[in-house]
Amino acid sequence: MKPKKIPMRMCLGCNEMKPKKELIRVVKSPEGEISLDFTGKKQGRGAYICRSADCFEKARKGRRFEKSFSCKIEESVYEVMAGELAAEPKNN
């Protein structure tokens, strides 16, 4: 039997390829709203980061979210995402 393929995605913070289930999806909805998607099922353009605050800060400082979504992101959006990341349950 053929082994099941594990989908891999690149983290915007550390630029490492990791299994999709280990990463958090950041999504830009069709309305232009940017948020964290812990389920991985929200509609819109997605980018991925590790579950660590370090990777989030690297991606934020390098403006990698803005490059990935081709739009300007306000500081308030980053603050909300940082709060959600800190409050995320660790059992996922």
Side-chain angles (χ1 to χ4, degrees):
M1 194 168 158
K2 200 172 171 182
K4 189 171 181 180
K5 184 180 174 193
I6 299 172
M8 303 290 278
R9 299 291 184 266
M10 184 182 287
C11 171
L12 289 179
C14 60
N15 287 330
E16 288 182 26
M17 294 295 285
K18 296 186 177 182
K20 186 177 170 182
K21 293 207 179 252
E22 292 179 14
L23 301 172
I24 297 172
R25 184 169 184 246
V26 181
V27 65
K28 178 184 176 189
S29 68
E31 295 81 35
E33 180 184 329
I34 296 172
S35 62
L36 294 181
D37 178 14
F38 296 106
T39 63
K41 296 181 181 181
K42 285 186 182 176
Q43 188 177 11
R45 171 96 173 125
Y48 293 83
I49 57 166
C50 293
R51 296 182 182 270
S52 72
D54 286 343
C55 282
F56 178 75
E57 286 303 317
K58 282 182 190 174
R60 181 179 178 177
K61 286 181 182 169
R63 301 201 179 277
R64 295 179 186 156
F65 292 118
E66 294 181 8
K67 290 174 188 167
S68 183
F69 297 132
S70 302
C71 70
K72 177 91 172 91
I73 300 174
E74 299 295 324
E75 280 299 313
S76 60
V77 175
Y78 282 126
E79 297 300 325
V80 169
M81 287 196 311
E84 287 178 1
L85 185 63
E88 182 223 352
K90 299 297 178 193
N91 60 0
N92 284 358

